């Protein structure tokens, strides 16, 4: 899976005013839907919420990586939001989140592909310089370039 098919400038939101976890996930899912990654936003949102109920996807460092595997996903996609104000995500480190990377995977491709993408992104998020680039990128194009480096 190439980064060009996973990423789309239309799925990047800078300075989102979403006030809670559900609102930002919905905002990102709407972007994925309009960019052609989803054919059933409600089914996808249900899969993401089910995953969040299992355990928080707030990995620490101010970042959350919610994800869902659903028949409502046409092709694998990734959306990003940077929040104007941090929100509580129940993160492993107890700190609020400012950057969200939402991953959408077709149910038929669940397993290795979604784990590969999560692992690639997670490895980059360990590095403060990568996280900083996500926080200070001035445009969606800047964020897109940073995320491409993780895939």
């Amino acid at each position: 899976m190439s980064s060009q098919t996973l990423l789309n400038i239309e799925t990047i939101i800078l300075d989102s005013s979403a006030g809670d976890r559900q609102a930002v996930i919905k905002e990102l899912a709407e972007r994925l839907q309009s960019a052609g990654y989803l054919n059933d936003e409600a089914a996808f949102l249900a899969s993401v919420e089910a995953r969040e109920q299992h355990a928080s996807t707030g990995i620490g460092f101010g970042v959350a990586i919610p994800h869902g595997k659903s028949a409502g996903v046409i092709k694998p996609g990734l959306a990003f939001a940077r929040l104007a104000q941090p929100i509580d995500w129940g993160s492993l480190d107890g700190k609020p989140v400012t950057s969200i990377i939402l991953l959408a995977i077709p149910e038929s491709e669940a397993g290795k592909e979604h784990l590969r993408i999560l692992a690639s992104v997670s490895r980059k998020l360990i590095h403060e310089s990568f996280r900083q680039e996500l926080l200070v990128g001035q445009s969606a194009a800047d964020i897109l370039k940073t995320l491409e480096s993780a895939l």
Side-chain angles (χ1 to χ4, degrees):
M1 182 68 43
S2 76
S3 63
Q4 285 77 25
T5 56
L6 279 171
L7 297 168
N8 184 316
I9 203 159
E10 296 172 36
T11 63
I12 295 171
I13 303 169
L14 302 180
D15 303 317
S16 168
S17 61
D20 61 33
R21 184 175 50 85
Q22 290 85 2
V24 72
I25 290 172
K26 174 129 180 68
E27 187 176 31
L28 288 169
E30 288 169 355
R31 293 289 185 101
L32 286 166
Q33 173 96 17
S34 67
Y37 291 94
L38 309 179
N39 61 8
D40 187 341
E41 183 182 322
F44 173 66
L45 285 170
S47 73
V48 174
E49 186 57 35
R51 172 62 187 85
E52 286 293 322
Q53 294 301 317
H54 177 68
S56 174
T57 56
I59 63 165
F61 307 111
V63 179
I65 311 176
H67 48 283
K69 298 169 276 188
S70 168
V73 179
I74 299 166
K75 60 184 179 180
L78 189 147
F80 173 84
R82 183 173 61 206
L83 299 171
Q85 296 295 317
I87 58 174
D88 178 43
W89 205 280
S91 297
L92 298 174
D93 63 1
K95 296 181 180 173
V97 164
T98 54
S99 297
I100 296 92
I101 300 170
L102 177 62
L103 181 59
I105 299 293
E107 201 165 55
S108 62
E109 295 182 33
K112 288 198 298 189
E113 182 62 16
H114 108 273
L115 293 174
R116 184 196 67 76
I117 297 165
L118 278 172
S120 294
V121 171
S122 296
R123 273 194 299 273
K124 286 296 273 192
L125 287 165
I126 291 169
H127 302 286
E128 180 157 351
S129 60
F130 179 79
R131 296 189 312 270
Q132 195 62 30
E133 286 179 42
L134 293 176
L135 288 175
V136 301
Q138 295 295 305
S139 68
D142 291 343
I143 300 297
L144 186 69
K145 183 177 178 181
T146 299
L147 290 171
E148 284 175 340
S149 75
L151 301 172

